[in-house]
Coordinates of all heavy atoms in Angstrom, one line a residue:
I639 N 155.8 26.5 125.4 CA 155.6 25.1 126.0 C 154.7 24.3 125.1 O 155.2 23.2 124.6 CB 155.0 25.2 127.4 CG1 155.9 26.0 128.3 CG2 154.9 23.8 128.0 CD1 155.3 26.3 129.7
V640 N 153.5 24.7 124.8 CA 152.6 23.9 124.0 C 152.1 24.9 122.9 O 152.1 26.1 123.0 CB 151.4 23.3 124.7 CG1 151.8 22.3 125.7 CG2 150.6 24.4 125.4
G641 N 151.7 24.2 121.7 CA 151.1 25.0 120.7 C 150.0 24.2 120.0 O 149.8 23.0 120.3
S642 N 149.2 24.8 119.2 CA 148.1 24.2 118.5 C 148.6 23.4 117.2 O 149.3 24.0 116.4 CB 147.0 25.2 118.1 OG 146.5 25.8 119.2
P643 N 148.2 22.2 117.0 CA 148.7 21.4 115.9 C 147.9 21.8 114.6 O 147.7 21.0 113.7 CB 148.5 20.0 116.3 CG 147.3 20.0 117.3 CD 147.4 21.4 117.9
Y644 N 147.3 23.0 114.6 CA 146.6 23.4 113.3 C 146.9 24.9 113.2 O 147.2 25.5 114.1 CB 145.1 23.1 113.5 CG 144.4 23.8 114.6 CD1 143.8 25.1 114.4 CD2 144.4 23.3 115.9 CE1 143.2 25.7 115.5 CE2 143.8 23.9 116.9 CZ 143.2 25.1 116.8 OH 142.6 25.8 117.8
D645 N 146.7 25.4 112.0 CA 147.0 26.8 111.8 C 145.8 27.7 111.7 O 144.6 27.2 111.9 CB 147.9 27.0 110.6 CG 147.2 26.5 109.3 OD1 145.9 26.6 109.2 OD2 147.9 26.1 108.4
D646 N 146.0 29.0 111.4 CA 144.9 29.9 111.5 C 144.1 29.9 110.2 O 143.3 30.8 109.9 CB 145.3 31.3 111.9 CG 146.3 31.9 110.9 OD1 146.6 31.3 109.9 OD2 146.7 33.1 111.2
N647 N 144.3 28.9 109.3 CA 143.4 28.7 108.2 C 142.1 28.1 108.7 O 141.1 28.1 107.9 CB 144.0 27.8 107.1 CG 145.2 28.4 106.4 OD1 145.2 29.6 106.2 ND2 146.2 27.7 106.1
V648 N 142.1 27.5 109.9 CA 140.9 27.0 110.5 C 140.3 28.1 111.2 O 140.8 28.7 112.2 CB 141.2 25.9 111.4 CG1 140.0 25.4 112.1 CG2 141.9 24.8 110.7
F649 N 139.1 28.6 110.8 CA 138.3 29.6 111.5 C 137.1 29.1 112.0 O 136.4 28.3 111.4 CB 138.0 30.8 110.5 CG 137.5 32.0 111.2 CD1 138.4 33.0 111.7 CD2 136.2 32.3 111.2 CE1 138.0 34.0 112.4 CE2 135.7 33.4 111.9 CZ 136.6 34.3 112.4
P650 N 136.6 29.5 113.2 CA 137.2 30.5 114.1 C 138.3 30.1 115.0 O 138.1 30.1 116.2 CB 136.0 31.1 114.8 CG 135.1 29.8 115.0 CD 135.4 29.0 113.8
Y651 N 139.3 29.6 114.5 CA 140.6 29.2 115.3 C 140.3 28.1 116.3 O 140.7 28.2 117.5 CB 141.2 30.5 115.9 CG 141.4 31.6 115.0 CD1 140.9 32.9 115.2 CD2 142.1 31.4 113.7 CE1 141.1 33.9 114.3 CE2 142.2 32.4 112.8 CZ 141.8 33.7 113.1 OH 142.0 34.7 112.2
Q652 N 139.7 27.1 115.8 CA 139.6 25.9 116.7 C 139.5 24.7 115.7 O 139.1 24.8 114.6 CB 138.3 25.9 117.5 CG 137.0 25.9 116.7 CD 135.8 25.8 117.6 OE1 135.3 26.9 118.0 NE2 135.3 24.6 118.0
S653 N 139.9 23.6 116.2 CA 139.8 22.3 115.5 C 139.7 21.1 116.4 O 140.5 21.1 117.4 CB 141.0 22.2 114.6 OG 141.0 21.0 113.8
G654 N 138.8 20.2 116.1 CA 138.7 19.0 117.0 C 138.2 19.4 118.3 O 137.3 20.2 118.5
N655 N 138.7 18.6 119.3 CA 138.2 18.8 120.7 C 138.9 20.0 121.4 O 140.1 20.0 121.6 CB 138.5 17.5 121.4 CG 138.1 17.6 122.9 OD1 137.4 18.5 123.3 ND2 138.5 16.5 123.7
P656 N 138.1 21.0 121.7 CA 138.8 22.2 122.3 C 139.5 21.9 123.7 O 140.3 22.7 124.2 CB 137.6 23.2 122.5 CG 136.4 22.4 122.5 CD 136.7 21.2 121.6
E657 N 139.1 20.7 124.3 CA 139.6 20.3 125.6 C 141.0 19.7 125.3 O 141.8 19.6 126.3 CB 138.8 19.3 126.3 CG 137.4 19.8 126.6 CD 137.4 20.8 127.8 OE1 138.5 20.9 128.5 OE2 136.4 21.5 128.1
N658 N 141.3 19.4 124.1 CA 142.6 18.7 123.9 C 143.1 19.0 122.5 O 143.1 18.2 121.6 CB 142.4 17.2 124.0 CG 143.7 16.4 123.9 OD1 144.8 17.0 124.0 ND2 143.6 15.1 123.7
N659 N 143.4 20.2 122.3 CA 143.9 20.6 120.9 C 145.2 21.4 120.9 O 145.5 22.4 120.2 CB 142.8 21.5 120.2 CG 142.5 22.8 121.0 OD1 143.0 23.0 122.1 ND2 141.7 23.7 120.4
A660 N 146.1 20.9 121.8 CA 147.5 21.5 121.9 C 148.4 20.4 122.1 O 148.1 19.3 122.7 CB 147.6 22.5 123.0
V661 N 149.7 20.5 121.7 CA 150.7 19.6 121.9 C 152.0 20.2 122.4 O 152.2 21.4 122.1 CB 151.0 18.8 120.6 CG1 149.8 18.0 120.1 CG2 151.4 19.7 119.4
L662 N 152.9 19.5 123.0 CA 154.2 20.0 123.4 C 155.0 20.3 122.2 O 155.1 19.5 121.3 CB 154.9 19.0 124.3 CG 154.3 18.9 125.8 CD1 154.9 17.6 126.4 CD2 154.7 20.1 126.6
S663 N 155.7 21.4 122.2 CA 156.6 21.7 121.2 C 157.9 20.9 121.5 O 158.0 20.3 122.6 CB 156.9 23.2 121.1 OG 157.6 23.6 122.3
G664 N 158.9 21.0 120.6 CA 160.1 20.3 120.9 C 160.8 20.8 122.2 O 161.2 20.1 123.0
Y665 N 160.8 22.2 122.3 CA 161.3 22.8 123.6 C 160.4 22.5 124.7 O 160.8 22.3 125.8 CB 161.6 24.3 123.4 CG 162.0 25.0 124.6 CD1 163.2 24.8 125.2 CD2 161.1 25.8 125.4 CE1 163.6 25.3 126.4 CE2 161.4 26.4 126.6 CZ 162.7 26.2 127.0 OH 163.1 26.8 128.2

């Protein structure tokens, strides 16, 4: 449904605002 718009090169696996760090995928 949703995924993170950043990859796991960002450690410790977070980027930006943790309250709003996912987007809808195409599906």
Side-chain angles (χ1 to χ4, degrees):
I639 300 176
V640 296
S642 303
Y644 61 95
D645 61 30
D646 62 359
N647 291 324
V648 178
F649 189 83
Y651 309 129
Q652 67 176 89
S653 179
N655 179 9
E657 299 285 350
N658 186 17
N659 61 353
V661 295
L662 286 166
S663 68
Y665 174 71

